[in-house]
Amino acid sequence: MAGIKDVADKAGLSVATVSRALSGKSNVSAKSRKLALEAAGELGFVPSYHASSLASGRNHNIGLVVPSVHRWYFSSVLEGVSATLLDAGYDLTLYNVGDQPERRQSVLNDFLLRKRLDAVIAVALVLSDDEIQQLLAVHRPIVGIGGTLPGASTIRIDDERLARMATDHLIRLGHTRIAHVTGDAALNQDFKLPGIRQTGYQRAMTAAGLDIRPDWQITADFTVQGAYTAARRLLGTSAERPTAVFAASDEMAVGAILAARDFGLQVPRDLSVVGMDGHELGETFGLTTIDQDPRGQGALAARTALQLLEPKSGSDDVPVPPETDQEFRTEFVIRTSTAVPPDESGLRRA
């Protein structure tokens, strides 16, 4: 049976390079990885991950902790993490903790400390200082997505700034009567994303000298149906109708568009709508939005976790210290759901 030295000889690489390539390490060039995989395939060499784990203390398994798997954002992050880890030869263990704190405690204080996982990626979950330090103390790196985690490597977007940008887009078009669809209290946990985006909306309105009407700040559950119901109440009962809506998620923006159609309102002629996230429904509905590319965030988180597992130069077992906070790049996508508002006669302004 062929050994790793045979693979190295056939590939024209060192044994160390072949070992890194076959074990999914990131510090290997694409060319060397390809040569190593081809040589291993031709010789029928299958690396012993059990032996490798015993030697390195690694399990080639990274845990992903999410509060939900049926929501679009979290499933998109999962896709990005999964694809990147598969390409690197790592397994993925998914933990869907929901709103049950005891499940999260089991992951952080049991599975990781029993060394079943090499690292953990936590999505939209705030970890306590004790939880973070406990994991770092046993050399289990943490990557957080959604907000800053002191002492851990984090990937986030600037939700407040982007919410201001979305609202400013409507203001620059000439809208003064702008409503906001935010998340309900159940969603304002951990990094409090709905509240942060609502703050961005309010600050943009205040900076422009515009009134912030409490009855035009409506809550929903970040779903199409929830926002549809809430927007129907807004559009059907308000004495004065807004000319624009900034929704804190694309799914809620789509719900607002559907509600407007029920009342015979045309988007954007009668009502401009802007969302935030980059949901695939956005293109179907011509939605102006800020695309935060959650799949890309997941891929970056996985690459970061793999990098943190790499040893320092000249050391075999000490991981690289966590990187600083990373702000993920977003894109403002302007489509057909926003336009200048009509004047008092109902005509489009010049």
Side-chain angles (χ1 to χ4, degrees), residues 199-217:
T199 297
Y201 156 79
Q202 292 171 342
R203 289 184 174 174
M205 295 287 284
T206 299
L210 300 178
D211 291 335
I212 302 173
R213 296 178 48 161
D215 57 325
W216 282 3
Q217 297 178 76

Side-chain angles (χ1 to χ4, degrees), residues 8-35:
D9 290 342
K10 186 171 185 62
L13 303 169
S14 69
V15 170
T17 299
V18 170
S19 177
R20 291 196 301 272
L22 297 182
S23 62
K25 298 290 181 64
S26 60
N27 56 339
V28 181
S29 70
K31 180 180 179 181
S32 294
R33 190 183 305 278
K34 183 174 183 292
L35 288 171

Side-chain angles (χ1 to χ4, degrees), residues 5-6 9-10 16 21 37 47 63 88 93 96 119 161 165 276 280 298 307-308 313 316 333 335 341-343:
K5 187 176 185 308
D6 299 313
D9 290 342
K10 186 171 185 62
L37 290 172
T93 299
N96 178 23
R161 178 180 63 83
M165 184 186 301
M276 190 168 167
E280 55 263 25
Q307 180 184 356
L308 292 171
S313 178
D316 293 330
V333 182
R335 297 193 179 102
D343 61 21

Side-chain angles (χ1 to χ4, degrees), residues 247-267:
S249 78
D250 282 353
E251 290 177 85
M252 294 200 295
V254 169
I257 291 173
L258 294 175
R261 291 178 180 178
D262 282 359
F263 291 97
L265 302 175
Q266 293 187 26
V267 175

Side-chain angles (χ1 to χ4, degrees), residues 20-98:
R20 291 196 301 272
L22 297 182
S23 62
K25 298 290 181 64
S26 60
N27 56 339
V28 181
S29 70
K31 180 180 179 181
S32 294
R33 190 183 305 278
K34 183 174 183 292
L35 288 171
L37 290 172
E38 288 177 348
E42 291 176 16
L43 294 174
F45 174 77
V46 178
S48 171
Y49 287 104
H50 177 66
S52 175
S53 295
L54 291 175
S56 66
R58 302 297 183 197
N59 298 286
H60 290 85
N61 189 6
I62 291 178
L64 177 66
V65 189
V66 297
S68 173
V69 291
H70 72 278
R71 291 292 179 88
W72 168 81
Y73 173 79
F74 300 116
S75 63
S76 298
V77 169
L78 171 60
E79 287 180 4
V81 172
S82 176
T84 302
L85 293 183
L86 282 173
D87 289 344
Y90 268 70
D91 291 325
L92 167 67
T93 299
L94 175 65
Y95 297 97
N96 178 23
V97 298

